Amino acid sequence: PDLPTTAGASVASGFVGHHGSAHLFEQGMAYELRTGLDPNGAAQDIVLEINPAYLQHAMWFDPDPAARTAPVAPDRVDATSVFIHEIGHALAFNGWGRDTSLAPNGSVSTWDRHVGFEDGVLAFNGAHAVAHYGAAVPIAVGYDFHIGSSFGPGADLQGDVMNGVDLLPGQRYDVSPLSLAMLQDMGLAVSPAPEPGTVATMLVGLAALAGFRRRWMPRW
């Protein structure tokens, strides 16, 4: 399959205004959560895709995802962490990125409007994220819609659930305060992160409701 591991995205988007002369859109899941209006009606709101081989041979499913206390298999990736990451993309960590040719009529996403070059590094410059991190947040090189890097600016972000380097076997990842700050910059109302077990239960439930697809879906 073309998809090596997993992917997640909303299947629709909602118009929220303008950014300069560009039309501004947010992902449909976030739009519905924020406004109560469903941009695609009764259809499913998000799609999580999983390569079957990755599911079978690389992912580890916690026997008690609400507690999240069991040791993660050292040779497998924690499935709940993967779901948190992909639902982050379905909520807001997504858009058209640097390839403006893909954006209809010069449109931008709530992610795109906060991304630009800072001292030669592509970074997320939302006010809440900058206040939390102390600087614009480096974007993963070659992996837009992710943060961090394997070296240089952003190397300290490899442990964040939304990092673009890797989700490592044997480790758990939770929603971070930085991710919450970035979500706030992208228009979502957030509060301090709940206990990891609460987050895990919610996200596993969302993953089940979203459904799993093997077919590649568009970013939006």
Side-chain angles (χ1 to χ4, degrees), residues 193-204:
E195 292 298 317
T198 303
V199 173
T201 301
M202 177 187 71
L203 293 177
V204 169

Side-chain angles (χ1 to χ4, degrees), residues 115-125 136-141 148-149 152-154:
V115 173
F117 284 95
E118 303 279 342
D119 297 324
V121 176
L122 194 64
F124 184 94
N125 56 24
V137 182
I139 303 301
V141 177
S149 67

Side-chain angles (χ1 to χ4, degrees), residues 129-198:
V130 170
H132 178 83
Y133 186 63
V137 182
I139 303 301
V141 177
Y143 292 94
D144 207 348
F145 321 123
H146 298 81
I147 62 177
S149 67
S150 56
F151 60 90
D156 57 319
L157 297 174
Q158 291 184 57
D160 193 279
V161 70
M162 296 310 300
N163 87 80
V165 179
D166 208 358
L167 297 182
L168 298 175
Q171 295 191 24
R172 297 185 190 278
Y173 297 81
D174 291 307
V175 179
S176 69
L178 177 58
S179 293
L180 290 176
M182 295 174 74
L183 289 172
Q184 191 170 3
D185 285 324
M186 290 184 275
L188 288 167
V190 300
S191 58
E195 292 298 317
T198 303

Side-chain angles (χ1 to χ4, degrees), residues 14-149:
F15 174 74
V16 293
H18 292 88
H19 178 63
S21 61
H23 298 292
L24 179 64
F25 290 88
E26 67 181 335
Q27 295 234 45
M29 180 183 180
Y31 183 84
E32 184 174 356
L33 287 171
R34 190 177 57 80
T35 68
L37 303 174
D38 192 337
N40 63 325
Q44 65 190 46
D45 294 317
I46 71 174
V47 168
L48 302 184
E49 301 176 281
I50 303 178
N51 182 302
Y54 184 73
L55 174 68
Q56 181 178 359
H57 301 296
M59 294 180 72
W60 175 82
F61 287 82
D62 197 325
D64 189 351
R68 300 196 82 190
T69 56
V72 180
D75 59 341
R76 290 193 170 236
V77 178
D78 175 43
T80 302
S81 300
V82 173
F83 294 151
I84 292 172
H85 178 98
E86 298 304 347
I87 291 174
H89 289 306
L91 272 173
F93 285 71
N94 213 336
W96 290 283
R98 299 295 90 198
D99 191 350
T100 55
S101 67
L102 298 175
N105 301 317
S107 300
V108 296
S109 74
T110 53
W111 163 276
D112 296 331
R113 70 170 172 173
H114 290 301
V115 173
F117 284 95
E118 303 279 342
D119 297 324
V121 176
L122 194 64
F124 184 94
N125 56 24
H128 292 95
V130 170
H132 178 83
Y133 186 63
V137 182
I139 303 301
V141 177
Y143 292 94
D144 207 348
F145 321 123
H146 298 81
I147 62 177
S149 67

